Amino acid sequence: MKYLMLLSLMFAFNVKADTDLTINDELTLADEAIQAPTMNIEGQYQVAEPTPAPAPAPRRVVVRKPAPKKLTASDRLKLLRERLEERNRIMVEKKMEQIRFQQEMALARQLEQSMNQQLKALDNLK
C-alpha cells in the first residue's frame, strides 16, 4: 500500500513538472532539495547556523564567452528528464527516511511498553 502511494506521489510530481524551466532553475530546485533540513534521531530539525558573508572580491575585467549552442528539443528533454529523475530520487530518499523514522519510533514505543510491563510484573512479585 505504501509502495503504491509512493508511486502515485512520484507520478503526480512527474505530471506537474514544468518542462519550460531553465537549467539554472532545475539546479536551484535540486540544490534546495539536497540542502533541506533533516531530522536527527530525536526528531528535532537541524538548522544550520548562518555562515558569515565572505569579503567582496576585487573587481576584475570580465571576458565575455561566446554564446552557448542552443539545445535541440531532444537534448533539452533528455536534460530535463535527468534532472527530474534526480529530484524524484532525492524525494524518494527523504520519504523513505521519514517512514524509517516513524517505524523506529513505533518500535521504541513498543519496547518501552514491554519494559514497563516487565517492571510492573517484577514489582507485583515483591
PDB file of all heavy atoms in Angstrom, residues 86-122:
ATOM      1  N   GLU A  86      16.552  12.982 -10.926  1.00  0.00           N
ATOM      2  CA  GLU A  86      17.369  13.287  -9.748  1.00  0.00           C
ATOM      3  C   GLU A  86      16.505  13.863  -8.627  1.00  0.00           C
ATOM      4  O   GLU A  86      16.636  13.464  -7.466  1.00  0.00           O
ATOM      5  CB  GLU A  86      18.481  14.278 -10.124  1.00  0.00           C
ATOM      6  CG  GLU A  86      19.367  14.662  -8.969  1.00  0.00           C
ATOM      7  CD  GLU A  86      20.209  13.525  -8.438  1.00  0.00           C
ATOM      8  OE1 GLU A  86      20.368  12.507  -9.125  1.00  0.00           O
ATOM      9  OE2 GLU A  86      20.710  13.651  -7.307  1.00  0.00           O
ATOM     10  N   ARG A  87      15.613  14.783  -8.965  1.00  0.00           N
ATOM     11  CA  ARG A  87      14.707  15.344  -7.945  1.00  0.00           C
ATOM     12  C   ARG A  87      13.827  14.255  -7.351  1.00  0.00           C
ATOM     13  O   ARG A  87      13.606  14.209  -6.141  1.00  0.00           O
ATOM     14  CB  ARG A  87      13.835  16.441  -8.560  1.00  0.00           C
ATOM     15  CG  ARG A  87      14.566  17.747  -8.724  1.00  0.00           C
ATOM     16  CD  ARG A  87      13.753  18.835  -9.352  1.00  0.00           C
ATOM     17  NE  ARG A  87      12.368  18.859  -8.989  1.00  0.00           N
ATOM     18  CZ  ARG A  87      11.413  19.410  -9.730  1.00  0.00           C
ATOM     19  NH1 ARG A  87      11.722  19.969 -10.880  1.00  0.00           N
ATOM     20  NH2 ARG A  87      10.166  19.414  -9.331  1.00  0.00           N
ATOM     21  N   ASN A  88      13.314  13.364  -8.201  1.00  0.00           N
ATOM     22  CA  ASN A  88      12.461  12.285  -7.710  1.00  0.00           C
ATOM     23  C   ASN A  88      13.243  11.343  -6.803  1.00  0.00           C
ATOM     24  O   ASN A  88      12.730  10.879  -5.789  1.00  0.00           O
ATOM     25  CB  ASN A  88      11.846  11.512  -8.871  1.00  0.00           C
ATOM     26  CG  ASN A  88      10.749  12.286  -9.545  1.00  0.00           C
ATOM     27  OD1 ASN A  88      10.210  13.239  -8.992  1.00  0.00           O
ATOM     28  ND2 ASN A  88      10.424  11.896 -10.758  1.00  0.00           N
ATOM     29  N   ARG A  89      14.496  11.044  -7.172  1.00  0.00           N
ATOM     30  CA  ARG A  89      15.328  10.176  -6.344  1.00  0.00           C
ATOM     31  C   ARG A  89      15.544  10.788  -4.968  1.00  0.00           C
ATOM     32  O   ARG A  89      15.411  10.115  -3.938  1.00  0.00           O
ATOM     33  CB  ARG A  89      16.681   9.937  -7.025  1.00  0.00           C
ATOM     34  CG  ARG A  89      17.563   8.951  -6.291  1.00  0.00           C
ATOM     35  CD  ARG A  89      18.945   8.874  -6.889  1.00  0.00           C
ATOM     36  NE  ARG A  89      19.646  10.149  -6.835  1.00  0.00           N
ATOM     37  CZ  ARG A  89      20.225  10.654  -5.735  1.00  0.00           C
ATOM     38  NH1 ARG A  89      20.169  10.002  -4.608  1.00  0.00           N
ATOM     39  NH2 ARG A  89      20.841  11.819  -5.774  1.00  0.00           N
ATOM     40  N   ILE A  90      15.804  12.083  -4.941  1.00  0.00           N
ATOM     41  CA  ILE A  90      16.004  12.776  -3.667  1.00  0.00           C
ATOM     42  C   ILE A  90      14.718  12.748  -2.850  1.00  0.00           C
ATOM     43  O   ILE A  90      14.743  12.475  -1.643  1.00  0.00           O
ATOM     44  CB  ILE A  90      16.473  14.223  -3.916  1.00  0.00           C
ATOM     45  CG1 ILE A  90      17.881  14.219  -4.500  1.00  0.00           C
ATOM     46  CG2 ILE A  90      16.427  15.045  -2.639  1.00  0.00           C
ATOM     47  CD1 ILE A  90      18.322  15.564  -5.046  1.00  0.00           C
ATOM     48  N   MET A  91      13.586  12.988  -3.504  1.00  0.00           N
ATOM     49  CA  MET A  91      12.303  12.991  -2.808  1.00  0.00           C
ATOM     50  C   MET A  91      11.995  11.602  -2.230  1.00  0.00           C
ATOM     51  O   MET A  91      11.543  11.484  -1.091  1.00  0.00           O
ATOM     52  CB  MET A  91      11.194  13.418  -3.763  1.00  0.00           C
ATOM     53  CG  MET A  91       9.820  13.449  -3.131  1.00  0.00           C
ATOM     54  SD  MET A  91       8.527  13.849  -4.302  1.00  0.00           S
ATOM     55  CE  MET A  91       8.674  12.497  -5.439  1.00  0.00           C
ATOM     56  N   VAL A  92      12.272  10.563  -3.000  1.00  0.00           N
ATOM     57  CA  VAL A  92      12.009   9.194  -2.536  1.00  0.00           C
ATOM     58  C   VAL A  92      12.901   8.865  -1.348  1.00  0.00           C
ATOM     59  O   VAL A  92      12.448   8.259  -0.362  1.00  0.00           O
ATOM     60  CB  VAL A  92      12.210   8.189  -3.691  1.00  0.00           C
ATOM     61  CG1 VAL A  92      12.253   6.766  -3.173  1.00  0.00           C
ATOM     62  CG2 VAL A  92      11.104   8.347  -4.714  1.00  0.00           C
ATOM     63  N   GLU A  93      14.169   9.277  -1.406  1.00  0.00           N
ATOM     64  CA  GLU A  93      15.072   9.027  -0.284  1.00  0.00           C
ATOM     65  C   GLU A  93      14.584   9.717   0.983  1.00  0.00           C
ATOM     66  O   GLU A  93      14.621   9.138   2.070  1.00  0.00           O
ATOM     67  CB  GLU A  93      16.488   9.495  -0.625  1.00  0.00           C
ATOM     68  CG  GLU A  93      17.191   8.595  -1.606  1.00  0.00           C
ATOM     69  CD  GLU A  93      18.549   9.136  -2.014  1.00  0.00           C
ATOM     70  OE1 GLU A  93      18.950  10.222  -1.546  1.00  0.00           O
ATOM     71  OE2 GLU A  93      19.224   8.463  -2.807  1.00  0.00           O
ATOM     72  N   LYS A  94      14.113  10.951   0.854  1.00  0.00           N
ATOM     73  CA  LYS A  94      13.594  11.665   2.029  1.00  0.00           C
ATOM     74  C   LYS A  94      12.346  10.982   2.571  1.00  0.00           C
ATOM     75  O   LYS A  94      12.176  10.839   3.787  1.00  0.00           O
ATOM     76  CB  LYS A  94      13.283  13.119   1.672  1.00  0.00           C
ATOM     77  CG  LYS A  94      14.504  13.976   1.562  1.00  0.00           C
ATOM     78  CD  LYS A  94      14.123  15.413   1.390  1.00  0.00           C
ATOM     79  CE  LYS A  94      15.351  16.282   1.405  1.00  0.00           C
ATOM     80  NZ  LYS A  94      15.003  17.691   1.446  1.00  0.00           N
ATOM     81  N   LYS A  95      11.461  10.552   1.678  1.00  0.00           N
ATOM     82  CA  LYS A  95      10.233   9.884   2.119  1.00  0.00           C
ATOM     83  C   LYS A  95      10.570   8.564   2.811  1.00  0.00           C
ATOM     84  O   LYS A  95       9.977   8.229   3.844  1.00  0.00           O
ATOM     85  CB  LYS A  95       9.319   9.635   0.911  1.00  0.00           C
ATOM     86  CG  LYS A  95       7.960   9.132   1.285  1.00  0.00           C
ATOM     87  CD  LYS A  95       7.197  10.146   2.105  1.00  0.00           C
ATOM     88  CE  LYS A  95       5.819   9.634   2.418  1.00  0.00           C
ATOM     89  NZ  LYS A  95       5.082  10.546   3.268  1.00  0.00           N
ATOM     90  N   MET A  96      11.526   7.824   2.262  1.00  0.00           N
ATOM     91  CA  MET A  96      11.929   6.568   2.892  1.00  0.00           C
ATOM     92  C   MET A  96      12.523   6.828   4.274  1.00  0.00           C
ATOM     93  O   MET A  96      12.275   6.069   5.213  1.00  0.00           O
ATOM     94  CB  MET A  96      12.939   5.838   1.999  1.00  0.00           C
ATOM     95  CG  MET A  96      12.315   5.245   0.761  1.00  0.00           C
ATOM     96  SD  MET A  96      13.487   4.598  -0.444  1.00  0.00           S
ATOM     97  CE  MET A  96      14.476   3.506   0.517  1.00  0.00           C
ATOM     98  N   GLU A  97      13.284   7.903   4.413  1.00  0.00           N
ATOM     99  CA  GLU A  97      13.865   8.241   5.711  1.00  0.00           C
ATOM    100  C   GLU A  97      12.763   8.592   6.711  1.00  0.00           C
ATOM    101  O   GLU A  97      12.831   8.199   7.875  1.00  0.00           O
ATOM    102  CB  GLU A  97      14.841   9.410   5.553  1.00  0.00           C
ATOM    103  CG  GLU A  97      15.519   9.820   6.830  1.00  0.00           C
ATOM    104  CD  GLU A  97      16.439   8.747   7.397  1.00  0.00           C
ATOM    105  OE1 GLU A  97      16.858   7.840   6.666  1.00  0.00           O
ATOM    106  OE2 GLU A  97      16.724   8.822   8.606  1.00  0.00           O
ATOM    107  N   GLN A  98      11.725   9.306   6.263  1.00  0.00           N
ATOM    108  CA  GLN A  98      10.609   9.628   7.152  1.00  0.00           C
ATOM    109  C   GLN A  98       9.892   8.366   7.604  1.00  0.00           C
ATOM    110  O   GLN A  98       9.553   8.217   8.784  1.00  0.00           O
ATOM    111  CB  GLN A  98       9.616  10.559   6.443  1.00  0.00           C
ATOM    112  CG  GLN A  98      10.106  11.969   6.262  1.00  0.00           C
ATOM    113  CD  GLN A  98       9.133  12.803   5.468  1.00  0.00           C
ATOM    114  OE1 GLN A  98       8.160  12.293   4.915  1.00  0.00           O
ATOM    115  NE2 GLN A  98       9.400  14.098   5.413  1.00  0.00           N
ATOM    116  N   ILE A  99       9.651   7.449   6.686  1.00  0.00           N
ATOM    117  CA  ILE A  99       8.969   6.198   7.027  1.00  0.00           C
ATOM    118  C   ILE A  99       9.821   5.386   7.994  1.00  0.00           C
ATOM    119  O   ILE A  99       9.320   4.835   8.977  1.00  0.00           O
ATOM    120  CB  ILE A  99       8.646   5.397   5.747  1.00  0.00           C
ATOM    121  CG1 ILE A  99       7.584   6.130   4.932  1.00  0.00           C
ATOM    122  CG2 ILE A  99       8.191   3.989   6.087  1.00  0.00           C
ATOM    123  CD1 ILE A  99       7.368   5.554   3.546  1.00  0.00           C
ATOM    124  N   ARG A 100      11.127   5.314   7.746  1.00  0.00           N
ATOM    125  CA  ARG A 100      12.026   4.589   8.637  1.00  0.00           C
ATOM    126  C   ARG A 100      12.005   5.198  10.031  1.00  0.00           C
ATOM    127  O   ARG A 100      11.943   4.487  11.039  1.00  0.00           O
ATOM    128  CB  ARG A 100      13.458   4.632   8.089  1.00  0.00           C
ATOM    129  CG  ARG A 100      14.445   3.819   8.920  1.00  0.00           C
ATOM    130  CD  ARG A 100      15.882   4.203   8.642  1.00  0.00           C
ATOM    131  NE  ARG A 100      16.175   5.583   8.925  1.00  0.00           N
ATOM    132  CZ  ARG A 100      16.397   6.092  10.149  1.00  0.00           C
ATOM    133  NH1 ARG A 100      16.340   5.329  11.202  1.00  0.00           N
ATOM    134  NH2 ARG A 100      16.667   7.374  10.310  1.00  0.00           N
ATOM    135  N   PHE A 101      12.003   6.517  10.104  1.00  0.00           N
ATOM    136  CA  PHE A 101      11.969   7.200  11.392  1.00  0.00           C
ATOM    137  C   PHE A 101      10.674   6.881  12.143  1.00  0.00           C
ATOM    138  O   PHE A 101      10.699   6.590  13.344  1.00  0.00           O
ATOM    139  CB  PHE A 101      12.118   8.707  11.181  1.00  0.00           C
ATOM    140  CG  PHE A 101      12.029   9.500  12.442  1.00  0.00           C
ATOM    141  CD1 PHE A 101      13.083   9.515  13.336  1.00  0.00           C
ATOM    142  CD2 PHE A 101      10.890  10.216  12.750  1.00  0.00           C
ATOM    143  CE1 PHE A 101      13.008  10.234  14.507  1.00  0.00           C
ATOM    144  CE2 PHE A 101      10.807  10.937  13.913  1.00  0.00           C
ATOM    145  CZ  PHE A 101      11.869  10.950  14.801  1.00  0.00           C
ATOM    146  N   GLN A 102       9.537   6.912  11.435  1.00  0.00           N
ATOM    147  CA  GLN A 102       8.257   6.599  12.075  1.00  0.00           C
ATOM    148  C   GLN A 102       8.236   5.164  12.588  1.00  0.00           C
ATOM    149  O   GLN A 102       7.742   4.895  13.683  1.00  0.00           O
ATOM    150  CB  GLN A 102       7.117   6.830  11.085  1.00  0.00           C
ATOM    151  CG  GLN A 102       6.883   8.289  10.770  1.00  0.00           C
ATOM    152  CD  GLN A 102       5.895   8.483   9.632  1.00  0.00           C
ATOM    153  OE1 GLN A 102       5.488   7.517   8.981  1.00  0.00           O
ATOM    154  NE2 GLN A 102       5.535   9.727   9.387  1.00  0.00           N
ATOM    155  N   GLN A 103       8.779   4.235  11.807  1.00  0.00           N
ATOM    156  CA  GLN A 103       8.806   2.836  12.236  1.00  0.00           C
ATOM    157  C   GLN A 103       9.726   2.653  13.440  1.00  0.00           C
ATOM    158  O   GLN A 103       9.408   1.885  14.351  1.00  0.00           O
ATOM    159  CB  GLN A 103       9.259   1.951  11.083  1.00  0.00           C
ATOM    160  CG  GLN A 103       8.229   1.832   9.988  1.00  0.00           C
ATOM    161  CD  GLN A 103       8.730   1.043   8.799  1.00  0.00           C
ATOM    162  OE1 GLN A 103       9.922   0.811   8.664  1.00  0.00           O
ATOM    163  NE2 GLN A 103       7.806   0.646   7.927  1.00  0.00           N
ATOM    164  N   GLU A 104      10.840   3.363  13.471  1.00  0.00           N
ATOM    165  CA  GLU A 104      11.736   3.263  14.623  1.00  0.00           C
ATOM    166  C   GLU A 104      11.077   3.827  15.877  1.00  0.00           C
ATOM    167  O   GLU A 104      11.252   3.284  16.969  1.00  0.00           O
ATOM    168  CB  GLU A 104      13.047   3.995  14.342  1.00  0.00           C
ATOM    169  CG  GLU A 104      13.974   3.243  13.431  1.00  0.00           C
ATOM    170  CD  GLU A 104      15.299   3.954  13.222  1.00  0.00           C
ATOM    171  OE1 GLU A 104      15.534   5.008  13.847  1.00  0.00           O
ATOM    172  OE2 GLU A 104      16.092   3.450  12.427  1.00  0.00           O
ATOM    173  N   MET A 105      10.328   4.909  15.724  1.00  0.00           N
ATOM    174  CA  MET A 105       9.622   5.483  16.881  1.00  0.00           C
ATOM    175  C   MET A 105       8.567   4.516  17.397  1.00  0.00           C
ATOM    176  O   MET A 105       8.414   4.345  18.606  1.00  0.00           O
ATOM    177  CB  MET A 105       8.987   6.832  16.503  1.00  0.00           C
ATOM    178  CG  MET A 105       9.986   7.933  16.254  1.00  0.00           C
ATOM    179  SD  MET A 105      11.029   8.305  17.661  1.00  0.00           S
ATOM    180  CE  MET A 105       9.831   9.006  18.767  1.00  0.00           C
ATOM    181  N   ALA A 106       7.829   3.867  16.492  1.00  0.00           N
ATOM    182  CA  ALA A 106       6.822   2.892  16.913  1.00  0.00           C
ATOM    183  C   ALA A 106       7.488   1.712  17.624  1.00  0.00           C
ATOM    184  O   ALA A 106       6.989   1.233  18.656  1.00  0.00           O
ATOM    185  CB  ALA A 106       6.028   2.403  15.701  1.00  0.00           C
ATOM    186  N   LEU A 107       8.611   1.264  17.108  1.00  0.00           N
ATOM    187  CA  LEU A 107       9.341   0.169  17.738  1.00  0.00           C
ATOM    188  C   LEU A 107       9.850   0.577  19.123  1.00  0.00           C
ATOM    189  O   LEU A 107       9.784  -0.208  20.077  1.00  0.00           O
ATOM    190  CB  LEU A 107      10.513  -0.257  16.845  1.00  0.00           C
ATOM    191  CG  LEU A 107      11.282  -1.490  17.275  1.00  0.00           C
ATOM    192  CD1 LEU A 107      10.365  -2.706  17.305  1.00  0.00           C
ATOM    193  CD2 LEU A 107      12.449  -1.722  16.333  1.00  0.00           C
ATOM    194  N   ALA A 108      10.312   1.803  19.251  1.00  0.00           N
ATOM    195  CA  ALA A 108      10.782   2.292  20.552  1.00  0.00           C
ATOM    196  C   ALA A 108       9.626   2.346  21.555  1.00  0.00           C
ATOM    197  O   ALA A 108       9.793   1.999  22.728  1.00  0.00           O
ATOM    198  CB  ALA A 108      11.424   3.663  20.399  1.00  0.00           C
ATOM    199  N   ARG A 109       8.444   2.768  21.101  1.00  0.00           N
ATOM    200  CA  ARG A 109       7.272   2.797  21.994  1.00  0.00           C
ATOM    201  C   ARG A 109       6.902   1.389  22.443  1.00  0.00           C
ATOM    202  O   ARG A 109       6.590   1.158  23.611  1.00  0.00           O
ATOM    203  CB  ARG A 109       6.092   3.468  21.296  1.00  0.00           C
ATOM    204  CG  ARG A 109       6.167   4.982  21.299  1.00  0.00           C
ATOM    205  CD  ARG A 109       4.861   5.597  20.835  1.00  0.00           C
ATOM    206  NE  ARG A 109       4.570   5.317  19.440  1.00  0.00           N
ATOM    207  CZ  ARG A 109       4.964   6.061  18.411  1.00  0.00           C
ATOM    208  NH1 ARG A 109       5.657   7.149  18.632  1.00  0.00           N
ATOM    209  NH2 ARG A 109       4.651   5.739  17.183  1.00  0.00           N
ATOM    210  N   GLN A 110       6.920   0.428  21.513  1.00  0.00           N
ATOM    211  CA  GLN A 110       6.606  -0.956  21.872  1.00  0.00           C
ATOM    212  C   GLN A 110       7.614  -1.497  22.872  1.00  0.00           C
ATOM    213  O   GLN A 110       7.242  -2.177  23.843  1.00  0.00           O
ATOM    214  CB  GLN A 110       6.609  -1.840  20.618  1.00  0.00           C
ATOM    215  CG  GLN A 110       5.435  -1.618  19.712  1.00  0.00           C
ATOM    216  CD  GLN A 110       5.549  -2.469  18.449  1.00  0.00           C
ATOM    217  OE1 GLN A 110       6.566  -3.097  18.199  1.00  0.00           O
ATOM    218  NE2 GLN A 110       4.484  -2.471  17.653  1.00  0.00           N
ATOM    219  N   LEU A 111       8.866  -1.205  22.671  1.00  0.00           N
ATOM    220  CA  LEU A 111       9.910  -1.655  23.579  1.00  0.00           C
ATOM    221  C   LEU A 111       9.714  -1.043  24.963  1.00  0.00           C
ATOM    222  O   LEU A 111       9.833  -1.732  25.990  1.00  0.00           O
ATOM    223  CB  LEU A 111      11.289  -1.287  23.017  1.00  0.00           C
ATOM    224  CG  LEU A 111      12.494  -1.747  23.814  1.00  0.00           C
ATOM    225  CD1 LEU A 111      12.511  -3.259  23.921  1.00  0.00           C
ATOM    226  CD2 LEU A 111      13.767  -1.243  23.162  1.00  0.00           C
ATOM    227  N   GLU A 112       9.383   0.242  24.991  1.00  0.00           N
ATOM    228  CA  GLU A 112       9.151   0.916  26.269  1.00  0.00           C
ATOM    229  C   GLU A 112       7.960   0.301  27.002  1.00  0.00           C
ATOM    230  O   GLU A 112       8.011   0.065  28.216  1.00  0.00           O
ATOM    231  CB  GLU A 112       8.914   2.408  26.030  1.00  0.00           C
ATOM    232  CG  GLU A 112       8.721   3.201  27.294  1.00  0.00           C
ATOM    233  CD  GLU A 112       8.461   4.664  27.008  1.00  0.00           C
ATOM    234  OE1 GLU A 112       8.350   5.045  25.831  1.00  0.00           O
ATOM    235  OE2 GLU A 112       8.347   5.427  27.979  1.00  0.00           O
ATOM    236  N   GLN A 113       6.884   0.003  26.263  1.00  0.00           N
ATOM    237  CA  GLN A 113       5.714  -0.607  26.881  1.00  0.00           C
ATOM    238  C   GLN A 113       6.040  -1.983  27.439  1.00  0.00           C
ATOM    239  O   GLN A 113       5.629  -2.327  28.556  1.00  0.00           O
ATOM    240  CB  GLN A 113       4.578  -0.713  25.855  1.00  0.00           C
ATOM    241  CG  GLN A 113       3.941   0.618  25.515  1.00  0.00           C
ATOM    242  CD  GLN A 113       2.930   0.492  24.382  1.00  0.00           C
ATOM    243  OE1 GLN A 113       2.773  -0.583  23.798  1.00  0.00           O
ATOM    244  NE2 GLN A 113       2.255   1.584  24.073  1.00  0.00           N
ATOM    245  N   SER A 114       6.785  -2.773  26.687  1.00  0.00           N
ATOM    246  CA  SER A 114       7.115  -4.112  27.171  1.00  0.00           C
ATOM    247  C   SER A 114       8.029  -4.036  28.397  1.00  0.00           C
ATOM    248  O   SER A 114       7.895  -4.827  29.336  1.00  0.00           O
ATOM    249  CB  SER A 114       7.760  -4.944  26.068  1.00  0.00           C
ATOM    250  OG  SER A 114       9.004  -4.403  25.708  1.00  0.00           O
ATOM    251  N   MET A 115       8.956  -3.080  28.411  1.00  0.00           N
ATOM    252  CA  MET A 115       9.826  -2.913  29.580  1.00  0.00           C
ATOM    253  C   MET A 115       9.003  -2.491  30.800  1.00  0.00           C
ATOM    254  O   MET A 115       9.237  -2.970  31.912  1.00  0.00           O
ATOM    255  CB  MET A 115      10.917  -1.885  29.290  1.00  0.00           C
ATOM    256  CG  MET A 115      11.896  -2.319  28.223  1.00  0.00           C
ATOM    257  SD  MET A 115      12.873  -3.719  28.712  1.00  0.00           S
ATOM    258  CE  MET A 115      14.141  -2.890  29.612  1.00  0.00           C
ATOM    259  N   ASN A 116       8.044  -1.591  30.586  1.00  0.00           N
ATOM    260  CA  ASN A 116       7.183  -1.159  31.689  1.00  0.00           C
ATOM    261  C   ASN A 116       6.361  -2.323  32.234  1.00  0.00           C
ATOM    262  O   ASN A 116       6.172  -2.450  33.448  1.00  0.00           O
ATOM    263  CB  ASN A 116       6.267  -0.021  31.245  1.00  0.00           C
ATOM    264  CG  ASN A 116       7.011   1.290  31.105  1.00  0.00           C
ATOM    265  OD1 ASN A 116       8.082   1.476  31.690  1.00  0.00           O
ATOM    266  ND2 ASN A 116       6.466   2.195  30.308  1.00  0.00           N
ATOM    267  N   GLN A 117       5.879  -3.190  31.347  1.00  0.00           N
ATOM    268  CA  GLN A 117       5.115  -4.354  31.794  1.00  0.00           C
ATOM    269  C   GLN A 117       6.006  -5.299  32.595  1.00  0.00           C
ATOM    270  O   GLN A 117       5.567  -5.851  33.607  1.00  0.00           O
ATOM    271  CB  GLN A 117       4.517  -5.084  30.591  1.00  0.00           C
ATOM    272  CG  GLN A 117       3.378  -4.341  29.936  1.00  0.00           C
ATOM    273  CD  GLN A 117       2.897  -5.029  28.681  1.00  0.00           C
ATOM    274  OE1 GLN A 117       3.473  -6.036  28.235  1.00  0.00           O
ATOM    275  NE2 GLN A 117       1.839  -4.486  28.075  1.00  0.00           N
ATOM    276  N   GLN A 118       7.229  -5.475  32.165  1.00  0.00           N
ATOM    277  CA  GLN A 118       8.163  -6.330  32.894  1.00  0.00           C
ATOM    278  C   GLN A 118       8.436  -5.758  34.281  1.00  0.00           C
ATOM    279  O   GLN A 118       8.471  -6.497  35.276  1.00  0.00           O
ATOM    280  CB  GLN A 118       9.488  -6.467  32.127  1.00  0.00           C
ATOM    281  CG  GLN A 118       9.398  -7.295  30.872  1.00  0.00           C
ATOM    282  CD  GLN A 118       9.166  -8.757  31.171  1.00  0.00           C
ATOM    283  OE1 GLN A 118       9.495  -9.256  32.239  1.00  0.00           O
ATOM    284  NE2 GLN A 118       8.574  -9.457  30.218  1.00  0.00           N
ATOM    285  N   LEU A 119       8.624  -4.443  34.364  1.00  0.00           N
ATOM    286  CA  LEU A 119       8.879  -3.815  35.657  1.00  0.00           C
ATOM    287  C   LEU A 119       7.664  -3.946  36.579  1.00  0.00           C
ATOM    288  O   LEU A 119       7.815  -4.202  37.782  1.00  0.00           O
ATOM    289  CB  LEU A 119       9.253  -2.347  35.472  1.00  0.00           C
ATOM    290  CG  LEU A 119      10.628  -2.084  34.870  1.00  0.00           C
ATOM    291  CD1 LEU A 119      10.814  -0.600  34.605  1.00  0.00           C
ATOM    292  CD2 LEU A 119      11.716  -2.601  35.797  1.00  0.00           C
ATOM    293  N   LYS A 120       6.461  -3.793  36.028  1.00  0.00           N
ATOM    294  CA  LYS A 120       5.255  -3.955  36.831  1.00  0.00           C
ATOM    295  C   LYS A 120       5.122  -5.385  37.341  1.00  0.00           C
ATOM    296  O   LYS A 120       4.743  -5.626  38.487  1.00  0.00           O
ATOM    297  CB  LYS A 120       4.022  -3.558  36.027  1.00  0.00           C
ATOM    298  CG  LYS A 120       3.862  -2.069  35.831  1.00  0.00           C
ATOM    299  CD  LYS A 120       2.614  -1.761  35.004  1.00  0.00           C
ATOM    300  CE  LYS A 120       2.515  -0.284  34.717  1.00  0.00           C
ATOM    301  NZ  LYS A 120       1.361   0.039  33.861  1.00  0.00           N
ATOM    302  N   ALA A 121       5.457  -6.335  36.474  1.00  0.00           N
ATOM    303  CA  ALA A 121       5.380  -7.750  36.874  1.00  0.00           C
ATOM    304  C   ALA A 121       6.388  -8.036  37.990  1.00  0.00           C
ATOM    305  O   ALA A 121       6.078  -8.763  38.947  1.00  0.00           O
ATOM    306  CB  ALA A 121       5.637  -8.650  35.675  1.00  0.00           C
ATOM    307  N   LEU A 122       7.561  -7.468  37.898  1.00  0.00           N
ATOM    308  CA  LEU A 122       8.567  -7.657  38.942  1.00  0.00           C
ATOM    309  C   LEU A 122       8.125  -7.003  40.247  1.00  0.00           C
ATOM    310  O   LEU A 122       8.359  -7.532  41.330  1.00  0.00           O
ATOM    311  CB  LEU A 122       9.914  -7.084  38.502  1.00  0.00           C
ATOM    312  CG  LEU A 122      10.661  -7.881  37.417  1.00  0.00           C
ATOM    313  CD1 LEU A 122      11.904  -7.126  36.974  1.00  0.00           C
ATOM    314  CD2 LEU A 122      11.018  -9.260  37.941  1.00  0.00           C
TER     315      LEU A 122
END
